[in-house]
Amino acid sequence: MTERIVIVGNGMAGARLAGELHARDGDRKVTVLGAEPHRAYNRIMLSTLLAGKIGEPDVELAEVAGQGVDLRTGVTVTAIDRADRTVRTHDGDRIPYDHLVLATGSRALVPPLPGLDGPELPERVVPFRTLDDCRRILAVAEGARRVLVLGGGLLGLEAARGLAARGLDVAVVHPVPYLMERQLDPAGAAVLARTLAGLGVTTHLAVSATAVAADAHGVRLDLADGRSLDADLLVISCGVRPDTALAAAAGLAVERGVLVDDRLRTSDRRISAIGDCVQHDGALTGLVAPAWAQARVLAQVLSGEDPLARYRPKPMVTRLKAAGIDLAAMGDPAGDGPGEELTFTDPARGTYARLRIHDERLTAAILLGDNPAVGTVIQLFDRGQPVPADRRSLLLGRAFGAAPAEPAATPALMPDAATVCQCNNVSKGALVSCWRSGARTVDAVVAGTRAGTGCGGCRDAVAGIVEWLSSVDSVEVAR
């Protein structure tokens, strides 16, 4: 009997799960219900779209199609009937399921400020979360000169940098004394703020917004210190909240997110959940790598490939890689446990490095600016390997105290187990295997391994490995 699997959500998690299931044998019908009217897209690349570096087709994700997959966009699920095992849509349709998967993602937080507390936001006030948000921002920015961004976290800074790249005067307002407080320490954030200033982004820190006034001509943001800032556009990036309304209304266990176990099962064994809406072992995700890892595990469980597969979260590495900024942060920047700590800062060059080491292992690191050792640091943190005796090789990007570091002067020196793509957990060995299977271009290797389809930060590394393979095999590689 054909198993009916319904996936609610066609975002990065839901679309990936559909692809994982489609790639596995079995008699099943997969129905994907996406509230947005678009094809699935890469949310991480929206800031690059804002910057004008890519077009909308470049953010689209490859979708599964063909027998066994029914994709419906522009369909909002309004209720779950757990007794009848059906979901109800906004147009009155009832869709039966044998197993239901919630991939409802998260929603942008809009602070309850005067001027933002109505049923709809003013025309010149836009959150930065979806493709439609991005379109609205670009539409208003078309005739704008000044932009305010409320929120100095990762997404807020990506939006700010993207708009500044279009030649706009951009200012970021952040209530915390320093930027990206979840990933950075005050010293690193100060260097980042200076780098941003050089790129056309000013920052107003340690000050809260108190009210917004907007009309057809512009926006005014009132601040707690008595100042008011005027602009043509206000972009809101104050964080996100897991979208748990559907799960809660159905009586599923919900705290900050939908509670799931190691097999991504909710309190109803016929219903699973993955991605931003999920709370696993007390933690929310909010990043693409764990969402895609969850999709892979759940596909193994639902397909019967490995019914006992378990989701085990890995330490996450946060990257902010915009034009003129290269930042990698991992571990807890506020931690003060045992061990040694090394720091180096050169604000004039926009460089900052901080390492925390315990029992010869990296427990946290911040690398801002041009540091050739960033790949090595990420590998050491990701795999829990011992650090070199000469710490300067990591802190300053110098190889064991002398010449500039070249962690992989040739990919031949990179171990096959080294992770090249963090988002998709693709190793160098997997890239080599794909090449040997017949992929002879960067695009073919990307298609075969998914490397570079997440944040895009590893694309240059993938291209370098393909170039090396083409040289070794004396085969021309298309770029």
Side-chain angles (χ1 to χ4, degrees):
M1 181 177 177
T2 301
E3 183 182 24
R4 300 165 300 182
I5 298 176
V6 175
I7 302 172
V8 180
N10 190 38
M12 297 185 74
R16 175 56 66 93
L17 176 60
E20 294 279 359
L21 289 170
H22 185 63
R24 288 168 168 79
D25 295 332
D27 184 12
R28 72 181 72 89
K29 177 184 177 181
V30 178
T31 302
V32 184
L33 306 174
E36 294 185 74
H38 327 290
R39 296 182 56 178
Y41 58 89
N42 188 335
R43 200 181 304 277
I44 301 173
M45 301 301 291
L46 292 182
S47 57
T48 310
L49 181 62
L50 276 187
K53 304 297 184 183
I54 58 175
E56 283 195 12
D58 299 309
V59 305
E60 292 180 350
L61 295 172
E63 293 177 335
V64 294
Q67 186 177 6
V69 177
D70 179 14
L71 172 60
R72 308 183 195 181
T73 58
V75 176
T76 301
V77 174
T78 57
I80 302 169
D81 189 327
R82 292 166 55 191
D84 288 345
R85 293 208 297 272
T86 60
V87 296
R88 187 182 311 124
T89 65
H90 72 285
D91 55 7
D93 195 10
R94 298 180 75 92
I95 303 172
Y97 66 83
D98 296 306
H99 199 93
L100 177 65
V101 182
L102 301 180
T104 50
S106 55
R107 296 181 180 274
L109 279 174
V110 177
L113 299 174
L116 301 182
D117 47 6
E120 293 186 2
L121 292 177
E123 179 183 351
R124 292 181 176 271
V125 178
V126 189
F128 180 49
R129 180 63 181 163
T130 68
L131 178 57
D132 281 340
D133 294 336
C134 197
R135 288 172 173 172
R136 288 182 57 201
I137 290 171
L138 291 175
V140 178
E142 189 72 25
R145 292 185 299 107
R146 292 173 296 174
V147 178
L148 293 172
V149 176
L150 186 57
L154 179 65
L155 290 180
L157 296 186
E158 287 184 346
R161 178 63 188 115
L163 291 168
R166 289 180 173 269
L168 297 170
D169 180 6
V170 182
V172 174
V173 176
H174 195 49
V176 182
Y178 60 99
L179 300 169
M180 289 183 64
E181 68 277 3
R182 293 186 178 181
Q183 294 87 16
L184 300 182
D185 57 15
V191 175
L192 176 59
R194 179 168 177 164
T195 300
L196 285 167
L199 296 171
V201 178
T202 59
T203 52
H204 303 272
L205 303 174
V207 61
S208 299
T210 57
V212 174
D215 57 26
H217 304 290
V219 182
R220 187 187 75 242
L221 185 66
D222 296 334
L223 305 181
D225 59 9
R227 291 181 296 154
S228 293
L229 303 176
D230 296 316
D232 303 300
L233 167 67
L234 172 62
V235 176
I236 297 177
S237 184
C238 297
V240 296
R241 176 175 294 161
D243 192 344
T244 61
L246 194 62
L252 299 177
V254 171
E255 291 180 0
R256 291 182 298 157
V258 183
L259 298 182
V260 296
D261 61 14
D262 289 350
R263 296 182 200 170
L264 291 314
R265 299 176 298 187
T266 69
S267 52
D268 183 330
R269 292 300 180 259
R270 293 273 186 174
I271 304 177
S272 300
I274 59 173
D276 287 4
C277 68
V278 157
Q279 181 177 331
H280 172 266
D281 197 23
L284 304 175
T285 56
L287 297 173
V288 65
W292 282 352
Q294 290 168 2
R296 184 170 57 252
V297 169
L298 185 55
Q300 292 172 328
V301 172
L302 295 181
S303 67
E305 178 184 285
D306 183 1
L308 300 180
R310 306 272 180 164
Y311 169 63
R312 293 285 187 260
K314 295 176 58 179
M316 287 294 103
V317 178
T318 299
R319 299 297 300 267
L320 173 60
K321 194 173 179 66
I325 306 173
D326 194 353
L327 168 66
M330 58 214 82
D332 180 9
D336 55 359
E340 58 185 297
E341 188 168 295
L342 300 88
T343 60
F344 170 79
T345 182
D346 184 352
R349 291 178 176 268
T351 301
Y352 178 78
R354 175 186 174 190
L355 308 176
R356 190 180 302 123
I357 300 169
H358 180 57
D359 287 341
E360 297 302 303
R361 264 70 175 175
L362 272 172
T363 59
I366 299 170
L367 296 176
L368 174 61
D370 184 16
N371 189 324
V374 62
T376 301
V377 171
I378 291 175
Q379 289 294 325
L380 291 172
F381 176 78
D382 186 54
R383 308 186 75 83
Q385 295 174 333
V387 298
D390 186 345
R391 312 304 203 224
R392 291 173 295 177
S393 63
L394 306 179
L395 189 66
L396 304 177
R398 296 190 174 278
F400 303 94
E406 296 184 49
T410 168
L413 302 178
M414 182 187 296
D416 281 350
T419 302
V420 178
C421 175
Q422 295 285 328
C423 294
N424 287 290
N425 194 29
V426 181
S427 66
K428 176 219 172 181
L431 297 175
V432 173
S433 177
C434 184
W435 171 273
R436 289 174 178 167
S437 296
R440 288 294 188 262
T441 69
V442 173
D443 287 342
V445 170
V446 167
T449 63
R450 290 176 170 158
T453 61
C455 69
C458 66
R459 184 80 184 205
D460 288 346
V462 174
I465 291 174
V466 171
E467 184 176 20
W468 165 69
L469 287 167
S470 69
S471 174
V472 170
D473 288 357
S474 300
V475 176
E476 188 69 24
V477 60
R479 285 179 171 272

